[in-house]
Amino acid sequence: MNKQERVIFIINTLKKLYPTIPIPLDHKDPYTLLIAVLLSAQCTDIQVNKITPLLFAKADNPFDMIKMSVEEIKEIIRPCGLSPMKSKGIHGLSHILIDKHGGKVPQSFEFLEELPAVGHKTASVVMSQAFGVPAFPVDTHIHRLMYRWNLTNGKNVVQTEKDAKRLFPEAIWNDLHLQIIWYGREYSPARGWDLDQDIITKTIGRKTVIDTYYKK
């Protein structure tokens, strides 16, 4: 298959596997999504979904969040890891949302990326999942699979995002990035990978990746 045929195969396979696409992080509005995504850095979504109900029971909006101290936030979110940095980020961005944006999460990559502890990936998730703006957030699963599928050189997530946006139609970015995440978790993980279960990589994967798998 040429690259375009591989892209079509991927899209069609993922549509069959995931006709409806659950959002991995539990949230009820743009603010709670922003906090959940921030907490998910170097932490599993399952763990985040255990911690956010505890945090949001005390503060599910920036006005209540700034009433808590950084230390109080840190104690609640400690199981998510990186709690000193994340707690400062949550407290700081909540202040900025109130001071600059009337307590609302801005619908803008530029303003989101100005917030403490919010990088391009977090901003992309919020823009796509909260506001429906086409974006292609690249996490470790997407980065791994885009390389395995020979669609990027895999050198860094910036290049992987550019390649994904160039190859896949913009109209399906928001669904597709979630479908790839679920597929990566279920069929093409970094550890405990069974290539026979991974129909996409087995069919169109990078030859060196497949050869290395069988050598092991």
Side-chain angles (χ1 to χ4, degrees):
M1 292 189 203
N2 62 33
K3 192 168 276 189
Q4 191 54 42
E5 287 168 336
R6 279 186 278 133
V7 164
I8 292 166
F9 175 76
I10 290 164
I11 292 169
N12 290 341
T13 303
L14 292 174
K15 269 184 189 170
K16 285 177 192 170
L17 286 171
Y18 306 104
T20 57
I21 310 153
I23 303 240
L25 292 167
D26 297 338
H27 66 282
K28 65 175 184 176
D29 57 22
Y31 179 75
T32 52
L33 176 63
L34 174 61
I35 301 305
V37 178
L38 188 157
L39 289 174
S40 71
Q42 295 184 37
C43 180
T44 66
D45 292 346
I46 291 169
Q47 180 71 301
V48 173
N49 288 339
K50 288 178 183 174
I51 298 304
T52 47
L54 306 176
L55 179 63
F56 297 152
K58 290 184 177 256
D60 62 358
N61 62 80
F63 299 96
D64 287 335
M65 195 66 78
I66 65 167
K67 292 175 187 173
M68 298 174 69
S69 67
V70 171
E71 197 60 37
E72 286 175 303
I73 296 169
K74 186 167 80 172
E75 279 307 305
I76 296 170
I77 68 169
R78 192 181 297 279
C80 290
L82 306 178
S83 58
M85 181 270 289
K86 290 177 181 177
S87 56
K88 285 178 189 172
I90 290 168
H91 201 266
L93 72 81
S94 297
H95 265 292
I96 293 169
L97 292 181
I98 293 167
D99 296 341
K100 287 191 174 181
H101 305 288
K104 302 284 187 187
V105 175
Q107 193 171 326
S108 154
F109 280 101
E110 181 186 356
F111 289 138
L112 283 169
E113 290 181 37
E114 285 176 355
L115 298 171
V118 176
H120 180 66
K121 184 210 152 194
T122 297
S124 296
V125 173
V126 173
M127 289 295 283
S128 64
Q129 293 176 16
F131 301 122
V133 174
F136 212 107
V138 173
D139 74 348
T140 54
H141 299 289
I142 292 175
H143 189 53
R144 178 175 68 254
L145 267 56
M146 286 284 291
Y147 180 78
R148 281 183 178 175
W149 297 343
N150 203 17
L151 299 178
T152 188
N153 61 25
K155 287 182 179 172
N156 57 63
V157 293
V158 175
Q159 186 59 49
T160 299
E161 182 181 339
K162 283 181 185 173
D163 290 334
K165 286 180 169 179
R166 180 174 51 80
L167 290 165
F168 295 109
E170 185 176 318
I172 65 168
W173 287 354
N174 289 356
D175 284 348
L176 189 70
H177 92 265
L178 286 172
Q179 289 169 322
I180 295 175
I181 288 169
W182 286 113
Y183 185 88
R185 290 176 180 176
E186 293 188 57
Y187 298 101
S188 195
R191 295 175 185 170
W193 178 33
D194 181 354
L195 182 58
D196 289 327
Q197 300 296 316
D198 181 356
I199 183 65
I200 296 179
T201 308
K202 193 171 184 182
T203 306
I204 55 97
R206 186 184 294 265
K207 186 177 183 299
T208 53
V209 168
I210 293 170
D211 288 348
T212 301
Y213 175 90
Y214 282 122
K215 278 177 189 171
K216 287 181 181 177

